[in-house]
Amino acid sequence: MKTSSHAPWMTALALAASVSVCPATLAADSNPPKPDTPLSALIVGGGPDIPHNQVAIESNVVYVRSLLPPSAATRILFADGNTKTEDVLYEGKKQRELTRATVLPAIDAPSVSASIDGETKRLAQATSKPALLYFTGHGSPNETGDFDNNQYDLWDKNELTVRGLATSLDSVPSSTPVTLVMAQCFSGSFGNLIFQNGDPSAPLADRNLCGFFASIAQRPAAGCTTEINAKYYHDFTSYFFAALSGKDRLGKTTDGADYNGDGKVGMDEAFAYTLIHDDSIDTPVCTSDIFLRRFAKTPDDAVFKTPYSQVLSWATPAQRAAIDALSDQLKLTGEGRLGDAYKTFATTLLASWETKDVRIIRFVRLAKTIVLSHELETSDNASLKARYDALKAAEAGNPLTGPAAPSPLLAVVAAAKTPDAPTPEYLAHQTYTLGKMLPPPVVTIDVSDAPETKAWAENAQKVVTQWFPLITPFLATQDWTPPKTLKLILKHENDAPAYTDSDGITISAQWITDHPDDFGMVIHELTHVVQSYPDKGDKPGWLVEGIADYIRFWRYEPDVPRPRIDPAKAKYTDAYRTTAAFIAWAQGKYDRSLILRLDGALRTGTYHDSLFETITGKPVDTLWTEFLKTVPPPIHKPSVTMTIS
């Protein structure tokens, strides 16, 4: 099967022909849905131009349209909106790329911004009637590096960001249940539509919406091929809708997705079916995943220490089937398999297309969702639990057959406006404030002084490429310009395990020979690259090193045993792991923006120890005294190890 070798987010958009674009969608009141219509469906398809308007996208539109109830009020936005334009790209004989007119008998409007606005206004007139919004095409990461606000690529270089769609959906009343399914690259970002303005740091929106997406916000998705034979299509749309409808693209029966045995298949079950069977690069995500990562607070080191049998006992039938299947595919065994998978995940390139890496990402994310769900369900926050339960109930519905009962989200949205709703102070405490995710530099290696370390250096190169964009959101990088290149230098003569300077990261060949698994050291040094504090103001070394070790031990390798702190001897200014443990504790207990704000002050040259009190309400010495009370007495004297600059 031939797939497109270029994507809109990787290449400049160029029209292959002069294309006339049809007028924008009809006015909102020109053809409103009939009041007795059980479902309003909007299908948005097509690429941003002819070279990216592959036939598989058109096939998705045809397939999903065929599954909708005959009574559904369906609207289709596709490409330029003209059924006569030869704008569908397909593969002919001898792998020649050709174009033809669409097979769609009718198109309601072009896939442009004005059409989206018009269609959401139409939905606003169908109060309380459920709506299904399906998008199939191309997606791009936000050009500013903000993966929380990615975009769907509309026709003729129009774009629809998360914030843009949130604005359009504001006209739809909360009494209208909306299901959003998106199959494009980087689509997981649109899960943020459960928040006001599509902003994950904002309160929950008064919006009756649930959604399913082909990939996490940082990854591409499968499906944009010029192959005309649908039997070769392996993508999110194929598996999700086959499970949901019981019929695949070729009309064959699809069964095995009724995991709870109630005789019906909900979207949550179709989602689990897709996690198991989709053998593409897709890493599906749903709105409840987004919800949990915002409001549940169990740290990763605790999540992935959870015994596997406990996870199974907390999982829904669909989740249990999916995590068991993924575990078998990955050949994971034993009670500690979450931890084993997480260690593998920590060194997996997030952009990898390897099947085993894709499955590791799916397994780790699903396991975390199950554990966080249990935490939230057993919490004492009644309004947050009610909102989560309502979201899960909506995700268990099936827009193709209708919900088993009226969606409970409307009542919960109303309840969320009561004094029981989470306060801003609660949200600030529970939610990590994140900086901007930045693209990695071009990483090169220099092993001229230690050629025997080449294989290790190449693995370190992958770790740096993957983890650079994952480190930047935890620090105040919004105004920082990252380096375009970064060199890893392996040398024999090196007194320390590693150090960072203007030349790059220099690593001791002897150290990695003795400690071949120590990629955490690389993460520590990579954090120094991201820190790159200007030469002004107070920059205490203990805090600089403490932040670097926090990224290493609390983000990169949280399962690695850490030496115990001796309360009788330790000081918060001891740097490295001691300082890291202290600021991690203070951040978890008082304010999850602490480390980002400390880093921001170091960057602007405005840091002072009093900043701890400004953020947490307590002086740093008081915090330290309180922290020491949580530290168990040492069992033995910590072993002495080389420090890392």
Side-chain angles (χ1 to χ4, degrees):
M1 179 177 70
K2 180 180 178 182
T3 58
S4 175
S5 61
H6 50 336
W9 55 276
M10 297 177 64
T11 61
L13 297 177
L15 287 174
S18 176
V19 180
S20 61
V21 179
C22 290
T25 187
L26 299 172
D29 59 354
S30 62
N31 186 23
K34 297 178 181 179
D36 59 345
T37 298
L39 176 68
S40 296
L42 173 63
I43 299 177
V44 182
D49 53 28
I50 292 176
H52 297 100
N53 194 30
Q54 294 92 341
V55 67
I57 299 174
E58 178 196 59
S59 177
N60 285 348
V61 174
V62 172
Y63 175 47
V64 173
R65 176 64 186 91
S66 72
L67 302 176
L68 298 175
S71 58
T74 304
R75 301 275 294 175
I76 295 177
L77 313 181
F78 185 79
D80 72 343
N82 190 334
T83 58
K84 296 182 180 180
T85 304
E86 294 188 352
D87 56 6
V88 176
L89 190 71
Y90 71 98
E91 185 179 283
K93 294 181 179 180
K94 297 182 180 180
Q95 296 186 326
R96 291 180 58 202
E97 289 191 342
L98 306 171
T99 58
R100 61 161 173 76
T102 181
V103 300
L104 294 169
I107 300 173
D108 293 291
S111 174
V112 295
S113 301
S115 301
I116 300 294
D117 290 340
E119 294 303 323
T120 52
K121 290 176 182 177
R122 283 172 46 82
L123 291 178
Q125 299 176 55
T127 306
S128 301
K129 302 298 183 182
L132 170 64
L133 279 58
Y134 170 65
F135 287 73
T136 175
H138 293 279
S140 300
N142 188 285
E143 61 184 12
T144 68
D146 180 8
F147 281 99
D148 288 326
N149 192 32
N150 292 343
Q151 67 186 47
Y152 176 87
D153 300 326
L154 295 166
W155 184 258
D156 197 26
K157 300 184 181 181
N158 282 238
E159 60 185 44
L160 180 66
T161 64
V162 175
R163 308 286 165 80
L165 184 54
T167 299
S168 292
L169 289 174
D170 282 344
S171 64
V172 179
S174 58
S175 59
T176 300
V178 176
T179 296
L180 176 64
V181 181
M182 306 186 88
Q184 77 274 13
C185 297
F186 310 101
S187 53
S189 178
F190 283 82
N192 290 325
L193 288 169
I194 62 175
F195 304 112
Q196 292 178 15
N197 195 37
D199 180 355
S201 64
L204 287 164
D206 297 339
R207 186 175 292 132
N208 194 346
L209 178 144
C210 70
F212 297 85
F213 313 93
S215 69
I216 60 175
Q218 300 85 358
R219 279 182 57 93
C224 299
T225 175
T226 55
E227 168 64 59
I228 61 175
N229 196 332
K231 74 178 183 179
Y232 295 121
Y233 292 176
H234 300 278
D235 52 46
F236 177 77
T237 292
S238 298
Y239 291 94
F240 183 79
F241 281 101
L244 198 61
S245 67
K247 183 175 68 174
D248 70 10
R249 289 178 180 273
L250 304 179
K252 297 179 180 179
T253 299
T254 299
D255 53 25
D258 180 16
Y259 298 111
N260 63 6
D262 66 352
K264 299 172 291 186
V265 175
M267 289 182 289
D268 57 338
E269 293 175 311
F271 180 75
Y273 182 91
T274 305
L275 289 175
I276 297 169
H277 296 283
D278 183 354
D279 55 2
S280 74
I281 64 170
D282 294 334
T283 49
V285 62
C286 61
T287 39
S288 57
D289 293 334
I290 305 297
F291 187 102
L292 288 168
R293 281 152 178 78
R294 163 71 184 270
F295 295 111
K297 61 183 180 180
T298 304
D300 283 354
D301 57 348
V303 167
F304 294 102
K305 289 178 181 176
T306 308
Y308 187 66
S309 60
Q310 189 72 76
V311 173
L312 290 180
S313 71
W314 295 339
T316 65
Q319 290 173 331
R320 191 178 307 121
I323 201 165
D324 258 346
L326 290 168
S327 179
D328 290 343
Q329 292 167 4
L330 292 164
K331 295 181 171 55
L332 296 170
T333 59
E335 285 289 85
R337 67 187 77 180
L338 266 68
D340 294 340
Y342 189 62
K343 289 176 183 177
T344 301
F345 170 77
T347 57
T348 297
L349 187 64
L350 191 61
S352 172
W353 288 23
E354 295 292 329
T355 299
K356 63 179 178 59
D357 295 336
V358 173
R359 288 172 176 166
I360 275 288
I361 294 171
R362 293 180 189 175
F363 180 90
V364 166
R365 287 187 57 82
L366 178 57
K368 183 170 182 175
T369 290
I370 294 170
V371 175
L372 295 183
S373 179
H374 174 74
E375 176 208 326
L376 191 60
E377 293 284 12
T378 55
S379 74
D380 56 3
N381 190 314
S383 66
L384 202 59
K385 286 168 59 178
R387 187 68 186 262
Y388 175 65
D389 288 343
L391 178 59
K392 290 292 292 179
E395 291 180 346
N398 186 331
L400 305 183
T401 60
S407 170
L409 264 175
L410 175 60
V412 176
V413 167
K417 300 175 183 177
T418 70
D420 289 333
T423 64
E425 292 77 13
Y426 172 85
L427 295 178
H429 173 64
Q430 300 297 333
T431 306
Y432 280 107
T433 301
L434 297 178
K436 184 167 64 175
M437 181 176 283
L438 300 175
V442 176
V443 183
T444 60
I445 59 174
D446 179 356
V447 295
S448 56
D449 188 56
E452 72 279 5
T453 64
K454 182 180 179 181
W456 188 94
E458 289 175 342
N459 284 330
Q461 183 181 34
K462 294 178 182 178
V463 170
V464 169
T465 301
Q466 176 189 354
W467 273 85
F468 185 92
L470 300 180
I471 290 172
T472 56
F474 292 106
L475 303 177
T477 55
Q478 60 271 15
D479 297 319
W480 178 62
T481 301
K484 295 182 179 179
T485 61
L486 178 63
K487 182 181 292 186
L488 303 182
I489 307 165
L490 278 292
K491 284 188 174 183
H492 281 296
E493 295 182 5
N494 195 351
D495 294 334
Y499 63 86
T500 298
D501 60 18
S502 59
D503 293 328
I505 299 174
T506 301
I507 301 168
S508 166
Q510 184 59 50
W511 178 264
I512 64 102
T513 298
D514 296 337
H515 307 84
D517 296 328
D518 192 7
F519 292 100
M521 164 266 294
V522 178
I523 296 298
H524 178 104
E525 295 302 328
L526 182 59
T527 304
H528 285 326
V529 173
V530 178
Q531 287 173 312
S532 295
Y533 299 137
D535 189 20
K536 63 178 180 180
D538 185 18
K539 297 183 291 295
W542 61 268
L543 184 56
V544 174
E545 298 296 347
I547 291 174
D549 256 13
Y550 165 78
I551 296 294
R552 172 181 179 171
F553 291 109
W554 271 259
R555 294 297 167 191
Y556 177 71
E557 46 186 3
D559 291 331
V560 172
R562 310 173 191 122
R564 289 176 177 264
I565 296 172
D566 186 348
K569 299 179 180 179
K571 305 183 295 295
Y572 64 81
T573 56
D574 284 345
Y576 299 102
R577 300 186 194 192
T578 299
T579 300
F582 169 55
I583 60 178
W585 167 85
Q587 174 163 269
K589 183 171 178 61
Y590 288 102
D591 194 310
R592 295 199 173 190
S593 70
L594 173 64
I595 293 173
L596 184 139
R597 293 171 69 179
L598 292 174
D599 176 78
L602 292 169
R603 290 178 187 276
T604 57
T606 57
Y607 172 80
H608 190 274
D609 286 352
S610 61
L611 185 59
F612 278 89
E613 184 172 8
T614 300
I615 298 171
T616 69
K618 294 185 178 181
V620 64
D621 291 314
T622 302
L623 291 171
W624 176 250
T625 300
E626 187 176 340
F627 167 68
L628 289 180
K629 294 178 181 178
T630 70
V631 177
I635 297 175
H636 56 77
K637 184 177 180 180
S639 59
V640 178
T641 59
M642 297 178 67
T643 57
I644 303 172
S645 64

